[in-house]
Amino acid sequence: MSGRRRRYTIVGLCLVLLATCVAVGAQWWTGRWKGSVTVLGNWTGGDEERFRRDVLEPFERKHRIRVVYQGSSAESQVLAADVASGTPPDVVIMPGPGELAAYAAQGRLKPLDGLFDPDHYDPGWAPALKGGVHWIPVKADLKSMVWHPGALTEAEAARIARDPGEWCLALESGATSGWPGTDWVEDVLLQQAGWETYQKWATGRLPWTDPAVRRAWTTWGDLVGAGDRRRVERALLAPYQDPWGGERPACARERLEHQAAFVRSGAHWTAVRGRYVHAKAVIPGARQDLTAWEVSGDLAAMLHDTPEARALVRHLADPGTTQLGFTANRAVPAGTYDGDPTAERIDATLRGRGTMRCWDASDAMPPAMRDAFHQAALRFLADPGELPARLAVLEEVRERHGRAEWLPSACGSG
């Protein structure tokens, strides 16, 4: 046999072996799964990797159910398009209950009753709507927090809070840019007017033109220097995830940041041994006779009632499933934060009984209202003189939404 024919024969045998291996591998892969479930979430990048590694992969190994996960920073738009085309995911994980309440009102969400232990959650985290519970929290976060360097006392933090130059402000967040600003307005209203007024507003029963709402906007503007062109330009372009980093950090000298618990592990706050005070300690006119916290969370809901989707929801609600951060599940053992006193304090506030917790109002509002609120925060920061016009537009949006699209409650102390 010639050398050339020998080479052709060897190549041919290799191709046959490769085809055989592919066929066998395909049969093995197909036989590995008992079914599949599609999931849409807003976690991308490192958050998505952690969700896949710590939560989804253990579920796949245990149940032999393949999870097809899609992460998108424009989750609301993706879900709306999927629903309109008749191809929604089996399970969706969304930040906040407002959008889910709208889908529940349309009859698109399937009840989750029987898939989790109701004693594991405060009813505020997993409320009963339209005859059943339609979402459960996968991850929780605490707000109403003002972070400051550990070297500062609470009194010193309150004193420097009157200087707009001390506040780190970053509002860029892709399709949801503006939400750090709405967090500010919400928290100021909560601390100044109390949770009853806040709840009426967050559930669509208080006009945007109400004096208490207007006062919250102007207080925020005064605190952070709304209208200051230089500060505003930096704030509008700075990514909320890391305003302290990058080649041109938006927050180089600032010592205060109004932000949720997730920032505690950031490089900047770790370096300065960051601590936090309740927002009422630094907000002018805040009521000192009450303590209410704003909270947020990523909630899992089911759009297709399949055995695979039900199994995944059970897994997400299982207190033994790896937590992605802070949890609202009261059955998760305490002391899971390696003796970190700051984390344990946050955890106690999120899960403790008798603590007044109110949903992030923009997350609790119908999608169109939430989006208009985000845009108004950006515009107000640039031109606070336009506040009356901005509030009038927001009020028009509120009046267009029927009561069925709003949450019945946004606060609770269960």
Side-chain angles (χ1 to χ4, degrees), residues 32-34 55-67 311-312 314-316 318-321:
R32 178 185 178 190
W33 305 114
K34 290 183 177 179
V55 178
L56 297 184
E57 290 178 6
F59 170 79
E60 289 180 322
R61 288 194 297 269
K62 179 178 179 180
H63 296 276
R64 293 175 60 194
I65 294 173
R66 184 185 179 208
V67 180
L312 180 59
R314 288 193 185 94
H315 178 72
L316 295 174
D318 189 333
T321 295

Side-chain angles (χ1 to χ4, degrees), residues 41-386:
N42 70 331
W43 293 318
T44 60
D47 291 334
E48 177 181 343
E49 291 176 9
R50 192 153 59 94
F51 182 48
R52 287 181 181 276
R53 181 189 67 242
D54 296 345
V55 178
L56 297 184
E57 290 178 6
F59 170 79
E60 289 180 322
R61 288 194 297 269
K62 179 178 179 180
H63 296 276
R64 293 175 60 194
I65 294 173
R66 184 185 179 208
V67 180
V68 181
Y69 175 80
Q70 178 185 4
S72 174
S73 59
E75 181 184 18
S76 294
Q77 294 84 346
V78 172
L79 180 59
D82 288 348
V83 168
S85 66
T87 58
D90 298 322
V91 174
V92 65
I93 301 175
M94 302 205 77
E99 196 155 357
L100 293 176
Y103 282 115
Q106 299 167 15
R108 297 188 180 277
L109 300 186
K110 307 304 179 183
L112 307 182
D113 302 81
L115 302 181
F116 69 99
D117 188 333
D119 290 337
H120 290 178
Y121 299 102
D122 174 341
W125 290 109
L129 297 175
K130 296 182 69 65
V133 174
H134 290 83
W135 58 77
I136 56 168
V138 177
K139 182 174 177 288
D141 228 333
L142 185 64
K143 299 191 173 184
S144 295
M145 312 171 84
V146 171
W147 293 86
H148 63 86
L152 288 180
T153 65
E154 180 174 328
E156 290 170 331
R159 177 179 55 78
I160 67 174
R162 301 298 188 268
D163 179 1
E166 294 285 0
W167 286 103
C168 175
L169 193 61
L171 278 69
E172 199 283 320
S173 183
T176 58
S177 291
W179 69 258
T182 63
D183 275 10
W184 255 117
V185 175
E186 295 158 4
D187 208 3
V188 173
L189 178 62
L190 177 61
Q191 306 311 328
Q192 288 182 337
W195 71 266
E196 296 96 335
T197 298
Y198 179 93
Q199 176 157 258
K200 289 180 181 178
W201 170 68
T203 56
R205 293 177 286 133
L206 185 73
W208 286 84
T209 52
D210 186 270
V213 179
R214 186 181 301 110
R215 182 190 179 198
W217 281 89
T218 57
T219 299
W220 174 49
D222 292 342
L223 277 171
V224 301
D228 182 322
R229 182 175 177 179
R230 183 177 178 183
R231 284 182 54 75
V232 168
E233 287 181 352
R234 284 190 302 166
L236 295 181
L237 296 174
Y240 81 92
Q241 302 97 323
D242 187 18
W244 308 90
E247 295 181 1
R248 299 177 60 188
C251 302
R253 301 180 181 85
E254 292 79 359
R255 291 183 286 175
L256 302 177
E257 185 177 15
H258 180 271
Q259 191 51 276
F262 71 84
V263 302
R264 72 185 183 90
S265 57
H268 169 76
W269 288 118
T270 300
V272 298
R273 296 179 293 109
R275 297 166 56 194
Y276 71 90
V277 296
H278 191 284
K280 71 177 183 179
V282 304
I283 292 175
R287 292 177 54 178
Q288 302 301 314
D289 61 330
L290 57 82
T291 299
W293 297 85
E294 193 178 359
V295 297
S296 64
D298 293 282
L299 309 173
M302 190 167 63
L303 289 95
H304 288 138
D305 190 350
T306 68
E308 294 83 3
R310 294 169 70 85
L312 180 59
V313 171
R314 288 193 185 94
H315 178 72
L316 295 174
D318 189 333
T321 295
T322 299
Q323 305 302 315
L324 296 172
F326 292 103
T327 179
N329 191 325
R330 285 176 170 155
V332 173
T336 60
Y337 299 100
D338 298 323
D340 181 339
T342 298
E344 290 176 356
R345 181 182 166 201
I346 293 169
D347 176 57
T349 304
L350 285 169
R351 296 198 286 168
R353 300 182 186 276
T355 300
M356 180 57 68
R357 291 178 286 264
C358 295
W359 270 105
D360 175 311
S362 61
D363 287 348
M365 294 174 177
M369 186 80 264
R370 173 202 63 204
D371 295 344
F373 190 9
H374 289 171
Q375 288 299 312
L378 298 173
R379 292 177 178 272
F380 170 77
L381 190 66
D383 187 356
E386 290 188 359

Side-chain angles (χ1 to χ4, degrees), residues 368-414:
M369 186 80 264
R370 173 202 63 204
D371 295 344
F373 190 9
H374 289 171
Q375 288 299 312
L378 298 173
R379 292 177 178 272
F380 170 77
L381 190 66
D383 187 356
E386 290 188 359
L387 179 60
R390 299 273 73 80
L391 294 180
V393 170
L394 291 170
E395 180 59 15
E396 289 178 4
V397 178
R398 182 187 75 91
E399 291 177 345
R400 288 201 299 266
H401 285 82
R403 289 299 318 145
E405 297 183 53
W406 294 82
L407 285 177
S409 176
C411 299
S413 58

